[in-house]
């Protein structure tokens, strides 16, 4: 199959990535199934307790998110192997997860000699409270930032943007200071992000815009194996990057396509503060 740029394909991502040549993609943003939906009824279901895990994560009950552990392991190994093959030596791959699956992803990356550059904690300051009062309120997700593993470490990183970019809603990032590995990004979405419908695990655009700005250049190609509502593709498009998405569910392909039709290419390039204009006294520690 010839894969075209700037297109969301309704297909399994492993099959889709197999059609792409080696070293052909600049950036991969992967938000895979977290495998949280085991043992319940499909649809929104808060009643299911996950063996050994639990927490406030059990509201997503989707068939694409439920695999026996061994199957999830094999699936993870298969898609990350393909992702490594298509990623350029200068490219980056970002993978989302929670404690339910990020351990498996971390081990698979190490097995495949993919180097983990940083582990980022996405702190969700507006996370849903723990209703049972039997454990702490889960308020973060994890992101692994990786490159394909060559010893020369050729991955692209916009250090200037990481330091001097504008990250308005983040109360941890200080203007003009190095970006840390804890990102304070509220999980609420704007009206525009929800205009055409919702996805149960939709990521906020401002989080993806940051990833795109840190690790790709204008005109680069971003691929997302698990496209969902298309947030990664929208973030790439508005930042003037090309994109390819794979998604197995019809309704999400349609949702992603509508969002993409309404997003203007290059309309939101990663903003940078002019560091010479920053008055440091204006940015004291926030309490
Ligand atoms: C965690 S969600 C991604 C949500 C996305 N980040 C967003 O903001 O909308 C994972 C998506 O991957 C899709 N999916 C699951 N297995 C897949 C596969 N093998 N190939 C392609 N898509 C898959 C699911 O249908 C689901 O929409």
């Amino acid at each position: 199959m010839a894969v075209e740029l700037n297109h969301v394909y309704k297909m399994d991502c492993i099959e889709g990535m197999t059609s792409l040549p080696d070293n052909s993609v600049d950036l991969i943003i992967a938000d895979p199934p977290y495998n949280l939906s085991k043992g319940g009824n499909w649809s929104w279901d808060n009643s299911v307790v996950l063996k050994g895990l639990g927490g406030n994560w059990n509201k997503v009950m989707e068939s694409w998110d439920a695999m026996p552990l061994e199957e999830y392991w094999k699936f993870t190994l298969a898609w990350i192997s393909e992702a490594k093959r298509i990623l350029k030596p200068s490219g980056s791959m970002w993978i989302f997860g929670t404690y339910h699956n990020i351990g498996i992803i971390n081990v698979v990356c190490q097995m495949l000699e993919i180097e983990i550059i940083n582990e980022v904690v996405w702190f969700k300051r507006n996370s849903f409270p723990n209703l049972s009062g039997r454990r702490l309120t889960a308020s973060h997700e994890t992101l692994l930032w990786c490159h394909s593993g060559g010893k020369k470490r050729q991955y692209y990183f916009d250090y200037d943007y990481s330091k001097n970019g504008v990250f308005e809603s983040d109360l941890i990032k200080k203007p003009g200071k190095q970006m840390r590995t804890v990102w304070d990004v509220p999980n609420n979405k704007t009206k525009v992000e929800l205009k055409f419908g919702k996805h149960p695990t939709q990521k906020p655009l401002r989080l993806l815009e940051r990833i795109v700005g840190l690790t790709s250049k204008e005109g680069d190609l971003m691929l997302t194996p698990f496209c969902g509502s298309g947030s990664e593709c929208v973030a790439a498009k508005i930042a003037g990057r090309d994109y390819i998405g794979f998604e197995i569910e019809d309704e999400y392909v349609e949702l992603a396509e509508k969002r993409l039709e309404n997003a203007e290419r290059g309309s939101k390039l990663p903003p940078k503060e002019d560091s010479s204009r920053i008055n440091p006294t204006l940015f004291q520690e926030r309490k």
Side-chain angles (χ1 to χ4, degrees):
M1 182 188 84
V3 177
E4 283 173 33
L5 296 184
N6 304 317
H7 205 84
V8 173
Y9 288 90
K10 188 207 171 294
M11 68 191 300
D12 175 80
C13 66
I14 300 170
E15 196 189 324
M17 287 191 281
T18 309
S19 316
L20 288 159
D22 294 359
N23 307 328
S24 54
V25 172
D26 299 288
L27 173 64
I28 295 175
I29 308 178
D31 184 13
Y34 290 6
N35 213 23
L36 289 172
S37 304
K38 290 172 286 191
N41 298 314
W42 312 139
S43 77
W44 297 75
D45 185 340
N46 286 307
S47 64
V48 180
V49 175
L50 300 174
K51 264 193 197 164
L53 298 166
N56 275 337
W57 305 95
N58 41 17
K59 64 180 180 176
V60 182
M61 297 304 301
E62 300 276 342
S63 57
W64 48 260
D65 193 45
M67 289 180 207
L69 197 58
E70 198 183 329
E71 198 184 315
Y72 189 73
W73 169 269
K74 287 183 189 157
F75 165 72
T76 303
L77 188 60
W79 78 255
I80 297 185
S81 299
E82 270 309 294
K84 174 180 161 112
R85 183 186 63 75
I86 62 173
L87 189 62
K88 291 182 186 172
S90 55
S92 280
M93 171 159 66
W94 293 79
I95 311 175
F96 281 92
T98 57
Y99 61 88
H100 310 87
N101 68 331
I102 204 72
I104 294 177
I105 289 170
N106 187 316
V107 172
V108 165
C109 286
Q110 293 189 53
M111 276 177 62
L112 296 173
E113 298 184 345
I114 291 171
E115 188 175 42
I116 298 171
I117 303 163
N118 274 131
E119 180 191 58
V120 169
V121 170
W122 167 29
F123 168 53
K124 300 191 270 189
R125 86 173 89 116
N126 52 349
S127 60
F128 196 67
N130 181 271
L131 295 177
S132 68
R134 301 275 298 157
R135 57 177 74 213
L136 305 176
T137 298
S139 53
H140 78 277
E141 292 189 31
T142 305
L143 276 153
L144 298 183
W145 172 24
C146 315
H147 73 98
S148 61
K151 287 209 173 74
K152 288 189 186 156
R153 298 204 171 103
Q154 297 171 59
Y155 62 88
Y156 172 77
F157 171 44
D158 190 337
Y159 176 68
D160 182 40
Y161 173 63
S162 75
K163 214 173 154 188
N164 300 314
V166 177
F167 306 99
E168 271 166 352
S169 56
D170 187 330
L171 301 179
I172 293 173
K173 173 72 180 76
K174 303 280 179 292
K177 300 280 186 202
Q178 287 191 337
M179 183 176 286
R180 297 175 182 218
T181 52
V182 179
W183 297 358
D184 169 22
V185 182
N187 193 17
N188 42 334
K189 282 105 201 163
T190 61
K191 272 191 193 154
V192 177
E193 288 174 75
L194 300 175
K195 189 171 171 191
F196 301 101
K198 283 187 199 166
H199 184 287
T201 62
Q202 187 168 332
K203 296 291 177 289
L205 263 186
R206 54 172 91 85
L207 178 66
L208 302 163
E209 284 166 19
R210 182 185 298 212
I211 293 172
V212 167
L214 287 175
T215 48
S216 68
K217 301 186 279 296
E218 230 179 312
D220 275 359
L221 171 59
M222 187 286 312
L223 179 138
T224 184
F226 308 99
C227 175
S229 66
S231 313
E232 290 81 357
C233 297
V234 171
K237 184 174 181 183
I238 60 180
R241 278 68 166 165
D242 288 319
Y243 61 85
I244 295 170
F246 297 111
E247 168 58 51
I248 45 173
E249 300 282 343
D250 281 319
E251 68 171 295
Y252 301 140
V253 174
E254 277 172 36
L255 175 55
E257 282 173 347
K258 279 192 201 137
R259 290 184 71 190
L260 283 157
E261 274 165 29
N262 281 272
E264 192 187 331
R265 188 180 169 111
S267 58
K268 203 166 172 209
L269 298 175
K272 281 187 194 169
E273 193 82 63
D274 175 356
S275 39
S276 61
R277 282 193 292 114
I278 296 176
N279 174 353
T281 57
L282 290 177
F283 298 104
Q284 300 296 343
E285 287 278 310
R286 281 176 240 218
K287 290 188 183 146

